[in-house]
Amino acid sequence: FQGIFVLGLPYALLHSGYSGLFLIVLAAALCCYTGKILIACLYEENEDGQLIRVRDTYEDIANACCKKLSPKLGGIFVNVTQVMELIMTCILYVVVSGNLLSHSFPYVPVTEKTWSVIAFVTLLPCVFIKTLKIVSKLSQLCSLVHFIIIIVVMIYCLTQIHRWSWAKFRLSVEFEDFLVSVGVIIFSYTSQIFLPTLEGNMKNPGEFRCMLNWTHFSACVLKTTFALTAFLTWGEETKEVITDNLPSFLQTLVNLCLLIKALLSYPLPFFAATEIVCACISRGNHSNHRSPLFALGVRGSFLLLTLLMAMFIPHFALLMGLTGSVTGAAMTFLLPSLFHLKLKWKKLSFLEKCADITVFILGFLCSIAGIVCSIKGLLEVFG
């Protein structure tokens, strides 16, 4: 929840005003709810009325919902959506790496795209990652670096408390800018694709709902505090990546820390995406699809794809908004509520049905509007 994309939240507040604070809280509540109903879809009651875990993954839930149409149709759709979200996340890490290097060394005559290529070179060893053990060690270092960054930014903002003014908040906002902010905020909470595996590996799965409540509450408090503090400090001058607003003596240090964090964050979504693709392909009977050389080719192709996309769409906030609107909304709002209604319809109360339908409608509207506005924003930038 407290990944590098938190740095885009102050920029989201700039375009959403007071409503942005409400959205951060609402998104936390809705994401917590859809996380719970998604896990509920993993269980069915036996003859004694006890809940038994009969499914293991998001793919299993989707297949169960679509088994009358096609046994594997739902799983294919979910896997494609998951891979899209994970690859887009990887692209964002490459984009932000180029942005950070560009602002860290402004006097070096190198374009931001060239800096992205330089950062990409350091990611080439990812093609040789075969187990999650290596990824987990990199993620530990990533968490430590992130903690340092947030503390530094917050301390600086507190030293500028004399500049704070609530007058910096907008009472009215542009509708299109507001919708892009919705995508940014949604994307900062997405975690549903990992929840089935997480719940299945808990020592006591019965504590899952409590864990979800506390983590979303904590994330909401931290996001709101960080975004509000940073926005009150810089107001209309707030930039897409908030560290760009820091004075030069801090900016280079923090940007280099962020660069390290971005590069250390890249292996997790990259590994997850390539594992999904390799697993789907290896279900066939072709032995060459299970060979190490084939897996190496898949990882190499995905690595190259992230670079090419980063080169053509080098706009951090707009790309994050588009990703949140397309895959984030689908995996976080649309599919969990739809699957819950499909699998549990007969056992749901009237209020629960209304809640699921409401979440689905809100997710659908946000997704469509966010897609249109984000694409329009990207076209305007290119134009």
Side-chain angles (χ1 to χ4, degrees):
F1 287 151
Q2 302 303 325
I4 197 170
F5 307 115
V6 173
L7 301 176
L9 290 180
Y11 185 74
L13 285 188
L14 172 64
H15 291 293
S16 58
Y18 283 103
S19 58
L21 297 175
F22 173 73
L23 282 174
I24 294 175
V25 178
L26 179 63
L30 292 178
C31 290
C32 183
Y33 174 75
T34 56
K36 292 176 182 177
I37 62 176
L38 179 66
I39 296 304
C41 293
L42 298 174
Y43 291 84
E44 295 289 349
E45 288 186 1
N46 61 12
E47 296 177 352
D48 299 325
Q50 297 177 327
L51 289 176
I52 304 297
R53 201 175 201 265
V54 296
R55 305 177 187 98
D56 294 319
T57 65
Y58 212 138
E59 181 184 0
D60 293 338
I61 297 173
N63 284 331
C65 291
C66 300
K67 62 181 179 181
K68 292 184 179 180
L69 294 175
S70 174
K72 297 181 179 180
L73 178 62
I76 292 173
F77 177 78
V78 165
N79 282 335
V80 169
T81 306
Q82 287 186 93
V83 170
M84 283 179 59
E85 180 169 347
L86 292 167
I87 290 300
M88 290 293 277
T89 303
C90 292
I91 295 167
L92 289 171
Y93 285 131
V94 177
V95 170
V96 79
S97 295
N99 177 277
L100 292 168
L101 282 169
S102 176
H103 287 86
S104 297
F105 306 103
Y107 302 108
V108 178
V110 174
T111 64
E112 188 171 316
K113 290 184 179 181
T114 305
W115 280 122
S116 294
V117 175
I118 293 173
F120 172 80
V121 172
T122 66
L123 297 172
L124 291 177
C126 289
V127 299
F128 301 108
I129 295 178
K130 298 180 180 179
T131 65
L132 200 58
K133 183 180 292 185
I134 298 174
V135 177
S136 65
K137 292 179 180 179
L138 295 175
S139 296
Q140 282 184 316
L141 295 174
C142 176
S143 299
L144 177 61
V145 174
H146 180 76
F147 178 76
I148 295 171
I149 295 167
I150 294 298
I151 291 297
V152 170
V153 175
M154 290 289 290
I155 290 176
Y156 176 79
C157 289
L158 291 174
T159 64
Q160 304 297 309
I161 197 169
H162 60 278
R163 298 173 51 189
W164 291 10
S165 172
W166 287 97
K168 296 178 180 179
F169 268 97
R170 299 183 182 183
L171 293 175
S172 61
V173 295
E174 293 292 333
F175 185 65
E176 292 184 3
D177 291 337
F178 170 76
L179 290 176
V180 174
S181 297
V182 171
V184 173
I185 291 171
I186 290 174
F187 190 68
S188 72
Y189 278 107
T190 54
S191 66
Q192 271 67 6
I193 61 177
F194 303 109
L195 292 184
T197 302
L198 174 62
E199 193 264 355
N201 284 278
M202 289 181 67
K203 182 179 292 185
N204 183 4
E207 296 179 348
F208 177 82
R209 295 176 68 88
C210 180
M211 177 276 294
L212 215 59
N213 288 335
W214 278 107
T215 51
H216 280 78
F217 174 77
S218 301
C220 179
V221 171
L222 291 170
K223 287 177 189 294
T224 304
T225 303
F226 178 76
L228 184 60
T229 301
F231 178 74
L232 287 175
T233 302
W234 288 288
E236 293 292 331
E237 298 176 359
T238 301
K239 298 181 180 179
E240 289 185 9
V241 182
I242 196 60
T243 52
D244 290 347
N245 286 103
L246 291 172
S248 57
F249 70 92
L250 278 178
Q251 190 178 41
T252 301
L253 174 63
V254 172
N255 280 352
L256 290 176
C257 288
L258 278 170
L259 173 66
I260 295 172
K261 175 177 171 55
L263 296 176
L264 290 173
S265 300
Y266 183 96
L268 177 58
F270 175 80
F271 178 82
T274 53
E275 283 296 294
I276 292 174
V277 173
C278 289
C280 291
I281 297 176
S282 65
R283 288 171 189 166
N285 297 320
H286 303 289
S287 58
N288 61 317
H289 287 166
R290 293 188 290 271
S291 68
L293 187 61
F294 172 76
L296 189 65
V298 171
R299 291 194 289 268
S301 299
F302 271 52
L303 200 65
L304 183 60
L305 175 65
T306 59
L307 174 65
L308 294 176
M309 290 291 289
M311 295 291 286
F312 285 106
I313 313 178
H315 296 281
F316 179 69
L318 289 173
L319 184 57
M320 183 163 62
L322 179 60
T323 305
S325 300
V326 179
T327 61
M331 300 298 292
T332 306
F333 296 130
L334 301 178
L335 295 182
S337 55
L338 184 63
F339 292 163
H340 194 234
L341 288 169
K342 173 67 175 177
L343 295 174
K344 306 292 183 180
W345 179 265
K346 295 181 180 179
K347 299 178 182 179
L348 295 178
S349 67
F350 175 75
L351 290 178
E352 288 174 325
K353 292 177 182 178
C354 289
D356 286 353
I357 293 172
T358 301
V359 169
F360 181 86
I361 293 174
L362 287 175
F364 180 78
L365 293 176
C366 288
S367 180
I368 295 299
I371 290 171
V372 173
C373 293
S374 295
I375 292 177
K376 183 178 179 181
L378 288 170
L379 292 175
E380 288 176 353
V381 170
F382 288 135

